[in-house]
Amino acid sequence: MKPIITASEYASESTGPRPPVLLDVRWQLGGPHGRPDYEAGHIPGAVFVDLDAELAGPAGAGGRHPLPDPEEFGAVMRRAGVSRDTPVVVYDGGQGWAAARAWWLLRWTGHEDVRVLDGGLAAWKGDLQKEAPIPAEGDFRPVPGALPLLDADGAAALARTGLLLDARAAERYRGDVEPIDRVGGHIPGAVSAPTSENVRDDGRFLPARSLAARFEGLGADRAPEVGVYCGSGVSGAHEVLALAVAGITAALYAGSWSEWSADESRPVATGPDPQ
């Protein structure tokens, strides 16, 4: 099962015998709430899902976007019409981060047929609708653990024994700037791999072979395990998705830098080199 789907492929499947449940997860870090944009026009049949309120738990010691309670997440998915055996397609405004977060959570909790609309809403050339659908209740019950997950200690260990990728912008990795968290820099041993370099200018992913070459150049082909972190576990999910497109399984450190940097006992590296 490919983890992404083109707009034309979705259009075809939406009128087929097993139309996917469609989730709209428009969200911007520090930006306006996505609900008004959804109400102004969304892909027909899409149900809005709020990343901050429904795809994350309350901010705190676990970071800005800790994982939601699995049972609460399951209730949100059932209300959106998600069942265990129904395909799911997720999209956002085009950046792909929020859609990837929803994809990762569904996959981590055991749903086997989830894909991200490549390029997001901008890739959709069909009509939009303003009315919010009222889907039939789904039956999806989360069973966490289907994808690998790291905590802070696991991320620290993986940076020494495998390949830990930092999906944030390079200037945040180096510690040149830090607009959000307590301190700038990176987890010692982590390798800079901005997720922005996994996509074209229009937000669509690079071809699988190009992504595979990029990650091999970063050492993924030589590492026994690969992990990813970012600022708060959102753009990191996008990098895990890019790795999946390339055929590479990677663990997500969900707490990411917002959790790591809040703990003053954790070491911080700065500059362009991993150590």
Side-chain angles (χ1 to χ4, degrees):
M1 175 64 64
K2 291 195 308 179
I4 58 176
I5 183 172
T6 68
S8 60
E9 288 170 339
Y10 170 73
S12 176
E13 291 190 20
S14 68
T15 58
R18 294 181 70 234
V21 171
L22 185 63
L23 306 179
D24 182 315
V25 197
R26 273 179 274 183
W27 172 88
Q28 294 181 51
L29 178 62
H33 198 278
R35 182 82 198 198
D37 285 340
Y38 168 82
E39 293 174 346
H42 51 269
I43 298 174
V47 177
F48 182 74
V49 177
D50 186 331
L51 186 147
D52 287 319
E54 297 176 321
L55 301 183
R64 287 193 309 279
H65 291 107
L67 299 183
D69 176 86
E71 288 306 311
E72 293 179 5
F73 171 69
V76 169
M77 292 296 102
R78 291 191 294 275
R79 287 196 299 270
V82 175
S83 289
R84 177 178 54 83
D85 59 353
T86 56
V88 180
V89 171
V90 191
Y91 74 90
D92 57 24
Q95 189 177 36
W97 294 5
R101 171 73 171 213
W103 167 84
W104 188 89
L105 281 169
L106 278 164
R107 290 288 295 111
W108 176 64
T109 53
H111 202 295
E112 296 181 352
D113 191 349
V114 190
R115 290 163 292 172
V116 169
L117 184 64
D118 197 18
L121 182 63
W124 178 254
K125 304 306 179 186
D127 294 334
L128 300 178
Q129 71 176 41
K130 294 184 179 181
E131 298 78 18
I134 303 176
E137 182 88 0
D139 64 12
F140 177 65
R141 299 287 174 180
V143 181
L147 292 183
L149 175 67
L150 296 170
D151 60 12
D153 289 340
L158 185 56
R160 297 189 300 270
T161 63
L163 176 65
L164 182 65
L165 299 175
D166 185 319
R168 298 173 301 157
E171 58 269 22
R172 291 185 69 191
Y173 171 89
R174 295 191 300 265
D176 298 344
V177 298
E178 182 43 65
I180 306 172
D181 292 311
R182 182 185 67 84
V183 63
H186 58 269
I187 296 173
V191 174
S192 180
T195 199
S196 59
E197 296 179 16
N198 296 323
V199 296
R200 303 177 173 95
D201 290 342
D202 61 4
R204 291 183 299 133
F205 280 103
L206 297 172
R209 62 182 180 276
S210 299
L211 290 171
R214 183 196 183 205
F215 292 124
E216 287 174 6
L218 293 169
D221 58 331
R222 303 182 299 278
E225 294 180 79
V226 178
V228 181
Y229 75 96
C230 58
S232 64
V234 177
S235 66
H238 190 260
E239 185 125 296
V240 173
L241 176 58
L243 283 151
V245 172
I248 301 167
T249 298
L252 177 67
Y253 171 26
S256 286
W257 190 248
S258 60
E259 178 186 46
W260 182 279
S261 63
D263 183 347
E264 296 185 13
S265 70
R266 297 280 179 188
V268 172
T270 57
D273 298 323
Q275 303 301 332

PDB file of all heavy atoms in Angstrom, residues 186-212:
ATOM      1  N   HIS A 186      20.397  20.938  18.627  1.00  0.00           N
ATOM      2  CA  HIS A 186      19.856  19.629  18.263  1.00  0.00           C
ATOM      3  C   HIS A 186      20.300  18.555  19.250  1.00  0.00           C
ATOM      4  O   HIS A 186      21.200  18.777  20.071  1.00  0.00           O
ATOM      5  CB  HIS A 186      20.278  19.257  16.841  1.00  0.00           C
ATOM      6  CG  HIS A 186      21.760  19.226  16.617  1.00  0.00           C
ATOM      7  ND1 HIS A 186      22.479  20.320  16.190  1.00  0.00           N
ATOM      8  CD2 HIS A 186      22.676  18.224  16.765  1.00  0.00           C
ATOM      9  CE1 HIS A 186      23.746  20.004  16.072  1.00  0.00           C
ATOM     10  NE2 HIS A 186      23.898  18.729  16.423  1.00  0.00           N
ATOM     11  N   ILE A 187      19.666  17.407  19.152  1.00  0.00           N
ATOM     12  CA  ILE A 187      20.051  16.260  19.972  1.00  0.00           C
ATOM     13  C   ILE A 187      21.435  15.796  19.521  1.00  0.00           C
ATOM     14  O   ILE A 187      21.666  15.607  18.320  1.00  0.00           O
ATOM     15  CB  ILE A 187      19.022  15.122  19.815  1.00  0.00           C
ATOM     16  CG1 ILE A 187      17.656  15.563  20.348  1.00  0.00           C
ATOM     17  CG2 ILE A 187      19.497  13.857  20.535  1.00  0.00           C
ATOM     18  CD1 ILE A 187      16.543  14.569  20.078  1.00  0.00           C
ATOM     19  N   PRO A 188      22.382  15.644  20.439  1.00  0.00           N
ATOM     20  CA  PRO A 188      23.727  15.211  20.030  1.00  0.00           C
ATOM     21  C   PRO A 188      23.685  13.916  19.222  1.00  0.00           C
ATOM     22  O   PRO A 188      23.060  12.930  19.610  1.00  0.00           O
ATOM     23  CB  PRO A 188      24.440  15.015  21.371  1.00  0.00           C
ATOM     24  CG  PRO A 188      23.747  15.964  22.297  1.00  0.00           C
ATOM     25  CD  PRO A 188      22.303  15.938  21.885  1.00  0.00           C
ATOM     26  N   GLY A 189      24.354  13.957  18.066  1.00  0.00           N
ATOM     27  CA  GLY A 189      24.404  12.809  17.181  1.00  0.00           C
ATOM     28  C   GLY A 189      23.369  12.820  16.083  1.00  0.00           C
ATOM     29  O   GLY A 189      23.466  12.043  15.124  1.00  0.00           O
ATOM     30  N   ALA A 190      22.347  13.681  16.193  1.00  0.00           N
ATOM     31  CA  ALA A 190      21.311  13.753  15.166  1.00  0.00           C
ATOM     32  C   ALA A 190      21.853  14.411  13.904  1.00  0.00           C
ATOM     33  O   ALA A 190      22.746  15.266  13.956  1.00  0.00           O
ATOM     34  CB  ALA A 190      20.103  14.522  15.680  1.00  0.00           C
ATOM     35  N   VAL A 191      21.298  14.017  12.769  1.00  0.00           N
ATOM     36  CA  VAL A 191      21.721  14.522  11.460  1.00  0.00           C
ATOM     37  C   VAL A 191      20.646  15.445  10.907  1.00  0.00           C
ATOM     38  O   VAL A 191      19.456  15.114  10.921  1.00  0.00           O
ATOM     39  CB  VAL A 191      21.967  13.342  10.492  1.00  0.00           C
ATOM     40  CG1 VAL A 191      22.261  13.847   9.084  1.00  0.00           C
ATOM     41  CG2 VAL A 191      23.107  12.471  11.005  1.00  0.00           C
ATOM     42  N   SER A 192      21.045  16.612  10.410  1.00  0.00           N
ATOM     43  CA  SER A 192      20.087  17.564   9.840  1.00  0.00           C
ATOM     44  C   SER A 192      19.516  17.032   8.530  1.00  0.00           C
ATOM     45  O   SER A 192      20.247  16.639   7.618  1.00  0.00           O
ATOM     46  CB  SER A 192      20.771  18.914   9.590  1.00  0.00           C
ATOM     47  OG  SER A 192      19.860  19.846   9.040  1.00  0.00           O
ATOM     48  N   ALA A 193      18.171  17.027   8.444  1.00  0.00           N
ATOM     49  CA  ALA A 193      17.480  16.546   7.242  1.00  0.00           C
ATOM     50  C   ALA A 193      16.151  17.275   7.112  1.00  0.00           C
ATOM     51  O   ALA A 193      15.086  16.701   7.356  1.00  0.00           O
ATOM     52  CB  ALA A 193      17.263  15.040   7.303  1.00  0.00           C
ATOM     53  N   PRO A 194      16.177  18.561   6.756  1.00  0.00           N
ATOM     54  CA  PRO A 194      14.927  19.330   6.697  1.00  0.00           C
ATOM     55  C   PRO A 194      13.876  18.661   5.816  1.00  0.00           C
ATOM     56  O   PRO A 194      14.157  18.270   4.687  1.00  0.00           O
ATOM     57  CB  PRO A 194      15.370  20.672   6.105  1.00  0.00           C
ATOM     58  CG  PRO A 194      16.825  20.781   6.458  1.00  0.00           C
ATOM     59  CD  PRO A 194      17.347  19.380   6.384  1.00  0.00           C
ATOM     60  N   THR A 195      12.668  18.529   6.358  1.00  0.00           N
ATOM     61  CA  THR A 195      11.628  17.853   5.595  1.00  0.00           C
ATOM     62  C   THR A 195      11.215  18.655   4.368  1.00  0.00           C
ATOM     63  O   THR A 195      10.626  18.098   3.436  1.00  0.00           O
ATOM     64  CB  THR A 195      10.413  17.543   6.496  1.00  0.00           C
ATOM     65  OG1 THR A 195       9.620  16.518   5.893  1.00  0.00           O
ATOM     66  CG2 THR A 195       9.583  18.778   6.748  1.00  0.00           C
ATOM     67  N   SER A 196      11.510  19.947   4.348  1.00  0.00           N
ATOM     68  CA  SER A 196      11.195  20.764   3.174  1.00  0.00           C
ATOM     69  C   SER A 196      11.931  20.281   1.927  1.00  0.00           C
ATOM     70  O   SER A 196      11.489  20.543   0.798  1.00  0.00           O
ATOM     71  CB  SER A 196      11.551  22.237   3.434  1.00  0.00           C
ATOM     72  OG  SER A 196      12.933  22.362   3.749  1.00  0.00           O
ATOM     73  N   GLU A 197      13.031  19.552   2.111  1.00  0.00           N
ATOM     74  CA  GLU A 197      13.799  19.068   0.974  1.00  0.00           C
ATOM     75  C   GLU A 197      13.262  17.748   0.417  1.00  0.00           C
ATOM     76  O   GLU A 197      13.821  17.199  -0.530  1.00  0.00           O
ATOM     77  CB  GLU A 197      15.266  18.919   1.378  1.00  0.00           C
ATOM     78  CG  GLU A 197      15.916  20.246   1.751  1.00  0.00           C
ATOM     79  CD  GLU A 197      17.366  20.104   2.177  1.00  0.00           C
ATOM     80  OE1 GLU A 197      17.962  19.032   1.907  1.00  0.00           O
ATOM     81  OE2 GLU A 197      17.894  21.056   2.790  1.00  0.00           O
ATOM     82  N   ASN A 198      12.153  17.254   0.978  1.00  0.00           N
ATOM     83  CA  ASN A 198      11.546  16.026   0.476  1.00  0.00           C
ATOM     84  C   ASN A 198      10.452  16.288  -0.563  1.00  0.00           C
ATOM     85  O   ASN A 198       9.902  15.340  -1.114  1.00  0.00           O
ATOM     86  CB  ASN A 198      10.913  15.241   1.638  1.00  0.00           C
ATOM     87  CG  ASN A 198      11.937  14.766   2.636  1.00  0.00           C
ATOM     88  OD1 ASN A 198      13.038  14.388   2.275  1.00  0.00           O
ATOM     89  ND2 ASN A 198      11.572  14.804   3.908  1.00  0.00           N
ATOM     90  N   VAL A 199      10.164  17.564  -0.794  1.00  0.00           N
ATOM     91  CA  VAL A 199       9.032  17.893  -1.661  1.00  0.00           C
ATOM     92  C   VAL A 199       9.429  18.870  -2.758  1.00  0.00           C
ATOM     93  O   VAL A 199      10.433  19.575  -2.665  1.00  0.00           O
ATOM     94  CB  VAL A 199       7.867  18.491  -0.842  1.00  0.00           C
ATOM     95  CG1 VAL A 199       7.313  17.464   0.147  1.00  0.00           C
ATOM     96  CG2 VAL A 199       8.306  19.748  -0.096  1.00  0.00           C
ATOM     97  N   ARG A 200       8.602  18.898  -3.798  1.00  0.00           N
ATOM     98  CA  ARG A 200       8.748  19.882  -4.868  1.00  0.00           C
ATOM     99  C   ARG A 200       8.199  21.225  -4.407  1.00  0.00           C
ATOM    100  O   ARG A 200       7.634  21.354  -3.318  1.00  0.00           O
ATOM    101  CB  ARG A 200       7.985  19.413  -6.112  1.00  0.00           C
ATOM    102  CG  ARG A 200       8.378  18.041  -6.662  1.00  0.00           C
ATOM    103  CD  ARG A 200       7.459  17.713  -7.837  1.00  0.00           C
ATOM    104  NE  ARG A 200       7.837  16.497  -8.540  1.00  0.00           N
ATOM    105  CZ  ARG A 200       7.329  15.293  -8.317  1.00  0.00           C
ATOM    106  NH1 ARG A 200       6.427  15.131  -7.350  1.00  0.00           N
ATOM    107  NH2 ARG A 200       7.707  14.251  -9.027  1.00  0.00           N
ATOM    108  N   ASP A 201       8.318  22.224  -5.277  1.00  0.00           N
ATOM    109  CA  ASP A 201       7.816  23.559  -4.942  1.00  0.00           C
ATOM    110  C   ASP A 201       6.313  23.565  -4.697  1.00  0.00           C
ATOM    111  O   ASP A 201       5.800  24.403  -3.952  1.00  0.00           O
ATOM    112  CB  ASP A 201       8.161  24.552  -6.056  1.00  0.00           C
ATOM    113  CG  ASP A 201       9.646  24.857  -6.140  1.00  0.00           C
ATOM    114  OD1 ASP A 201      10.363  24.587  -5.155  1.00  0.00           O
ATOM    115  OD2 ASP A 201      10.086  25.359  -7.199  1.00  0.00           O
ATOM    116  N   ASP A 202       5.582  22.643  -5.340  1.00  0.00           N
ATOM    117  CA  ASP A 202       4.126  22.606  -5.182  1.00  0.00           C
ATOM    118  C   ASP A 202       3.677  21.744  -4.012  1.00  0.00           C
ATOM    119  O   ASP A 202       2.476  21.514  -3.820  1.00  0.00           O
ATOM    120  CB  ASP A 202       3.454  22.119  -6.466  1.00  0.00           C
ATOM    121  CG  ASP A 202       3.863  20.708  -6.872  1.00  0.00           C
ATOM    122  OD1 ASP A 202       4.621  20.066  -6.129  1.00  0.00           O
ATOM    123  OD2 ASP A 202       3.417  20.255  -7.947  1.00  0.00           O
ATOM    124  N   GLY A 203       4.627  21.269  -3.210  1.00  0.00           N
ATOM    125  CA  GLY A 203       4.284  20.490  -2.037  1.00  0.00           C
ATOM    126  C   GLY A 203       4.163  19.005  -2.266  1.00  0.00           C
ATOM    127  O   GLY A 203       4.013  18.242  -1.304  1.00  0.00           O
ATOM    128  N   ARG A 204       4.235  18.561  -3.520  1.00  0.00           N
ATOM    129  CA  ARG A 204       4.185  17.118  -3.793  1.00  0.00           C
ATOM    130  C   ARG A 204       5.544  16.482  -3.503  1.00  0.00           C
ATOM    131  O   ARG A 204       6.592  17.111  -3.679  1.00  0.00           O
ATOM    132  CB  ARG A 204       3.780  16.860  -5.243  1.00  0.00           C
ATOM    133  CG  ARG A 204       2.339  17.227  -5.565  1.00  0.00           C
ATOM    134  CD  ARG A 204       1.995  16.880  -7.004  1.00  0.00           C
ATOM    135  NE  ARG A 204       2.851  17.607  -7.936  1.00  0.00           N
ATOM    136  CZ  ARG A 204       3.471  17.048  -8.980  1.00  0.00           C
ATOM    137  NH1 ARG A 204       3.357  15.742  -9.211  1.00  0.00           N
ATOM    138  NH2 ARG A 204       4.215  17.773  -9.778  1.00  0.00           N
ATOM    139  N   PHE A 205       5.508  15.224  -3.075  1.00  0.00           N
ATOM    140  CA  PHE A 205       6.752  14.537  -2.753  1.00  0.00           C
ATOM    141  C   PHE A 205       7.609  14.309  -3.999  1.00  0.00           C
ATOM    142  O   PHE A 205       7.090  14.133  -5.108  1.00  0.00           O
ATOM    143  CB  PHE A 205       6.459  13.185  -2.102  1.00  0.00           C
ATOM    144  CG  PHE A 205       6.109  13.274  -0.652  1.00  0.00           C
ATOM    145  CD1 PHE A 205       4.792  13.168  -0.241  1.00  0.00           C
ATOM    146  CD2 PHE A 205       7.088  13.469   0.308  1.00  0.00           C
ATOM    147  CE1 PHE A 205       4.461  13.251   1.101  1.00  0.00           C
ATOM    148  CE2 PHE A 205       6.779  13.561   1.649  1.00  0.00           C
ATOM    149  CZ  PHE A 205       5.459  13.453   2.045  1.00  0.00           C
ATOM    150  N   LEU A 206       8.922  14.315  -3.782  1.00  0.00           N
ATOM    151  CA  LEU A 206       9.837  13.899  -4.830  1.00  0.00           C
ATOM    152  C   LEU A 206       9.574  12.436  -5.175  1.00  0.00           C
ATOM    153  O   LEU A 206       9.000  11.697  -4.368  1.00  0.00           O
ATOM    154  CB  LEU A 206      11.280  14.078  -4.358  1.00  0.00           C
ATOM    155  CG  LEU A 206      11.740  15.501  -4.034  1.00  0.00           C
ATOM    156  CD1 LEU A 206      13.126  15.464  -3.404  1.00  0.00           C
ATOM    157  CD2 LEU A 206      11.733  16.369  -5.283  1.00  0.00           C
ATOM    158  N   PRO A 207       9.985  11.988  -6.347  1.00  0.00           N
ATOM    159  CA  PRO A 207       9.826  10.568  -6.681  1.00  0.00           C
ATOM    160  C   PRO A 207      10.500   9.676  -5.643  1.00  0.00           C
ATOM    161  O   PRO A 207      11.485  10.063  -5.000  1.00  0.00           O
ATOM    162  CB  PRO A 207      10.504  10.451  -8.047  1.00  0.00           C
ATOM    163  CG  PRO A 207      10.479  11.830  -8.620  1.00  0.00           C
ATOM    164  CD  PRO A 207      10.605  12.754  -7.451  1.00  0.00           C
ATOM    165  N   ALA A 208       9.970   8.475  -5.498  1.00  0.00           N
ATOM    166  CA  ALA A 208      10.494   7.544  -4.492  1.00  0.00           C
ATOM    167  C   ALA A 208      11.981   7.307  -4.658  1.00  0.00           C
ATOM    168  O   ALA A 208      12.729   7.249  -3.665  1.00  0.00           O
ATOM    169  CB  ALA A 208       9.727   6.224  -4.570  1.00  0.00           C
ATOM    170  N   ARG A 209      12.446   7.185  -5.891  1.00  0.00           N
ATOM    171  CA  ARG A 209      13.881   6.924  -6.105  1.00  0.00           C
ATOM    172  C   ARG A 209      14.728   8.116  -5.669  1.00  0.00           C
ATOM    173  O   ARG A 209      15.844   7.937  -5.162  1.00  0.00           O
ATOM    174  CB  ARG A 209      14.145   6.585  -7.571  1.00  0.00           C
ATOM    175  CG  ARG A 209      13.810   7.679  -8.563  1.00  0.00           C
ATOM    176  CD  ARG A 209      14.053   7.229  -9.995  1.00  0.00           C
ATOM    177  NE  ARG A 209      13.736   8.272 -10.961  1.00  0.00           N
ATOM    178  CZ  ARG A 209      12.520   8.520 -11.428  1.00  0.00           C
ATOM    179  NH1 ARG A 209      11.486   7.774 -11.020  1.00  0.00           N
ATOM    180  NH2 ARG A 209      12.314   9.496 -12.303  1.00  0.00           N
ATOM    181  N   SER A 210      14.217   9.333  -5.848  1.00  0.00           N
ATOM    182  CA  SER A 210      14.957  10.518  -5.412  1.00  0.00           C
ATOM    183  C   SER A 210      15.009  10.595  -3.890  1.00  0.00           C
ATOM    184  O   SER A 210      16.045  10.947  -3.300  1.00  0.00           O
ATOM    185  CB  SER A 210      14.316  11.785  -5.979  1.00  0.00           C
ATOM    186  OG  SER A 210      14.341  11.778  -7.395  1.00  0.00           O
ATOM    187  N   LEU A 211      13.898  10.264  -3.250  1.00  0.00           N
ATOM    188  CA  LEU A 211      13.878  10.251  -1.790  1.00  0.00           C
ATOM    189  C   LEU A 211      14.806   9.173  -1.252  1.00  0.00           C
ATOM    190  O   LEU A 211      15.544   9.398  -0.276  1.00  0.00           O
ATOM    191  CB  LEU A 211      12.459  10.030  -1.289  1.00  0.00           C
ATOM    192  CG  LEU A 211      11.491  11.196  -1.500  1.00  0.00           C
ATOM    193  CD1 LEU A 211      10.065  10.765  -1.173  1.00  0.00           C
ATOM    194  CD2 LEU A 211      11.895  12.400  -0.659  1.00  0.00           C
ATOM    195  N   ALA A 212      14.786   8.000  -1.874  1.00  0.00           N
ATOM    196  CA  ALA A 212      15.671   6.917  -1.430  1.00  0.00           C
ATOM    197  C   ALA A 212      17.128   7.349  -1.529  1.00  0.00           C
ATOM    198  O   ALA A 212      17.935   7.088  -0.624  1.00  0.00           O
ATOM    199  CB  ALA A 212      15.420   5.662  -2.245  1.00  0.00           C
TER     200      ALA A 212
END
